[in-house]
Amino acid sequence: MALNQSLRNIPGLDANVTTLLAQLDRLDRQIQVRLAEALRDAHWQHDTQRCQAIEGIGPLTAAALAARRNPVRHDFYQRYLNRGLKATQALVILARKLARIAFALMKNQTE
């Protein structure tokens, strides 16, 4: 974990860092459980699975930032950068594209 690496060499923080990381792990597990419960209660498990089949979309990830690293999506992203758009503008375009794909999958109930 990046936080562990960042704090590793600071003298006197070892015990505090270990405790903090353990607390963050517990909190992350609680969030994941509650997210799964909320999806189940809303009957959105299948829609969620369908959307997560799109590379770059995960339960809590920033879809555009993750998808940008995918080779297929990276070319799409790079084309907009080459046109002179800023990185944020290109990411927004990519995010909108992923949202349209996700919407189409849910609307048509397809994989």
Side-chain angles (χ1 to χ4, degrees):
M1 174 184 265
L3 184 58
N4 188 17
Q5 292 174 350
S6 297
L7 299 175
R8 181 180 305 155
N9 295 324
I10 300 176
L13 288 183
D14 292 344
N16 293 332
V17 168
T18 301
T19 301
L20 175 64
L21 293 174
Q23 290 172 340
L24 288 173
D25 284 340
R26 279 193 300 276
L27 181 60
D28 182 54
R29 284 192 300 275
Q30 288 175 350
I31 290 170
Q32 295 298 326
V33 167
R34 290 190 183 185
L35 178 61
E37 289 171 355
L39 292 170
R40 186 184 62 243
D41 292 346
H43 305 287
W44 288 352
Q45 303 100 313
H46 296 294
D47 289 337
T48 302
Q49 290 172 348
R50 191 173 293 117
C51 289
Q52 287 180 342
I54 302 167
E55 259 191 79
I57 295 182
L60 295 175
T61 62
L65 295 172
R68 178 181 63 82
R69 293 185 193 102
N70 173 281
V72 174
R73 306 251 191 268
H74 180 75
D75 292 342
F76 177 85
Y77 169 79
Q78 191 62 48
R79 281 195 306 268
Y80 283 97
L81 291 180
N82 293 343
R83 290 182 189 175
L85 270 68
K86 294 182 180 176
T88 302
Q89 293 170 315
L91 287 173
V92 168
I93 291 169
L94 179 56
R96 288 180 58 147
K97 180 176 180 66
L98 292 173
R100 285 192 306 273
I101 293 169
F103 178 76
L105 290 175
M106 288 185 287
K107 179 182 174 189
N108 300 319
Q109 296 293 299
T110 57
E111 300 296 323

